[in-house]
Amino acid sequence: NAGVTQTPKFRVLKTGQSMTLLCAQDMNHEYMYWYRQDPGMGLRLIHYSVGEGTTAKGEVPDGYNVSRLKKQNFLLGLESAAPSQTSVYFCASTNGAASSYNEQFFGPGTRLTVL
Amino acid sequence: AQSVTQLGSHVSVSEGALVLLRCNYSSSVPPYLFWYVQYPNQGLQLLLKYTTGATLVKGINGFEAEFKKSETSFHLTKPSAHMSDAAEYFCAVSVRGGSYIPTFGRGTSLIVHP
C-alpha cells in the first residue's frame, strides 16, 4: 500500500496563478482532509470531505476550493494564488465512518511558494 | 467544542535525558487523544492514542502518555532521549460521537543535544 500520496512535492507560483494539488489514498478511507502548516501555527484545516461527492469548509477555507469526485482522490485548488498562501500543505485521510477514535494518515506534504 | 494546548513551542534535552512534552485539552465530552510525530520534511505519523480503558498508553519508539482526567492532561514521556527523537510533536483531541474533525495543538519541537 502506498498510503496517502501527494502531487506535486514542491511548487513555485507567481501571484495570480492557479494550480491544483492532488491527494490520493489507497486505504478506502471515507474521510479526507486538507491542512496547511505554517511556523508557530500548527495544522489548520482548510477543507474536508466525509465521502465521495461531499466537501465542507474548515477553519481557513478562503482562497481555496476542493473536489472529491472519486473516493480515493481529494483535490485542492488555488484559483488565484497569493503570497499568504505560501505554506506546506498536507493531505490526510481516515476511516471516519467507523469512529472518531481512528487516527489520521498523512501524506508527505507539498511545499508551495507564491512569489 | 474541544481545544488543545501544548506548553512550550520548543523543548531541549540532552541525549539520554527524560523527555516530557506537555498537552492539556478541553472537551465537554470524553475525549479521544492522540500524539503525532513529524520528522523533518515528512508528514505526521501516529505515535500513540488514548480511546478508552487503560490510562497509560504505550506507543512506538519507547514513548508513552498518561491520560489524567482530573488534570485534563495527556503528557508524552520517554525515559531516555535519543538523537533520532528530534522532531515536531503534535497533540490532538477528538470527541466521541461527533464528526471526525480533530483539533491539533500548535506543536512542540523537540531538540536533542549530544
Side-chain angles (χ1 to χ4, degrees):
Chain A
N1 286 350
V4 180
T5 57
Q6 292 182 233
T7 308
K9 288 184 170 53
F10 303 92
R11 185 71 184 268
V12 178
L13 291 179
K14 294 181 180 179
T15 297
Q17 288 185 318
S18 64
M19 77 164 293
T20 299
L21 283 68
L22 171 63
C23 175
Q25 53 94 5
D26 61 1
M27 296 172 283
N28 201 35
H29 284 167
E30 292 291 334
Y31 282 35
M32 296 186 75
Y33 313 77
W34 276 107
Y35 292 93
R36 59 178 291 172
Q37 184 179 29
D38 303 290
M41 300 297 290
L43 290 173
R44 292 185 290 171
L45 182 64
I46 304 171
H47 286 279
Y48 64 99
S49 167
V50 301
E52 182 178 319
T54 73
T55 63
K57 294 180 180 180
E59 179 186 358
V60 289
D62 294 343
Y64 305 95
N65 57 75
V66 288
S67 64
R68 183 104 181 265
L69 298 180
K70 293 182 179 181
K71 185 177 183 179
Q72 64 267 35
N73 296 336
F74 194 29
L75 278 63
L76 177 71
L78 286 73
E79 291 185 346
S80 180
S84 61
Q85 294 177 305
T86 293
S87 187
V88 181
Y89 292 85
F90 287 99
C91 177
S93 72
T94 188
N95 187 14
S99 175
S100 57
Y101 60 68
N102 287 320
E103 67 268 26
Q104 291 178 305
F105 291 81
F106 286 82
T110 295
R111 291 185 178 276
L112 175 65
T113 300
V114 182
L115 302 175
Chain B
Q2 68 265 26
S3 66
V4 173
T5 302
Q6 290 185 240
L7 296 176
S9 58
H10 295 83
V11 170
S12 182
V13 300
S14 298
E15 192 173 21
L18 171 71
V19 175
L20 171 60
L21 304 182
R22 299 178 186 274
C23 172
N24 288 90
Y25 71 91
S26 173
S27 174
S28 57
V29 298
Y32 297 125
L33 296 159
F34 307 81
W35 274 101
Y36 290 87
V37 61
Q38 183 183 29
Y39 297 107
N41 300 314
Q42 295 186 26
L44 281 69
Q45 58 184 230
L46 183 72
L47 260 182
L48 50 80
K49 66 179 181 181
Y50 167 78
T51 55
T52 59
T55 56
L56 182 62
V57 181
K58 295 186 185 299
I60 61 172
N61 301 334
F63 284 92
E64 62 182 35
E66 186 170 11
F67 170 60
K68 292 187 176 181
K69 183 179 178 180
S70 61
E71 299 177 8
T72 61
S73 69
F74 191 57
H75 301 331
L76 182 69
T77 61
K78 182 175 180 178
S80 177
H82 192 273
M83 296 295 291
S84 60
D85 294 326
E88 189 86 12
Y89 292 80
F90 292 92
C91 182
V93 61
S94 66
V95 295
R96 303 181 187 189
S99 62
Y100 187 56
I101 308 297
T103 299
F104 283 85
R106 294 196 170 192
T108 298
S109 178
L110 177 64
I111 302 161
V112 183
H113 297 288

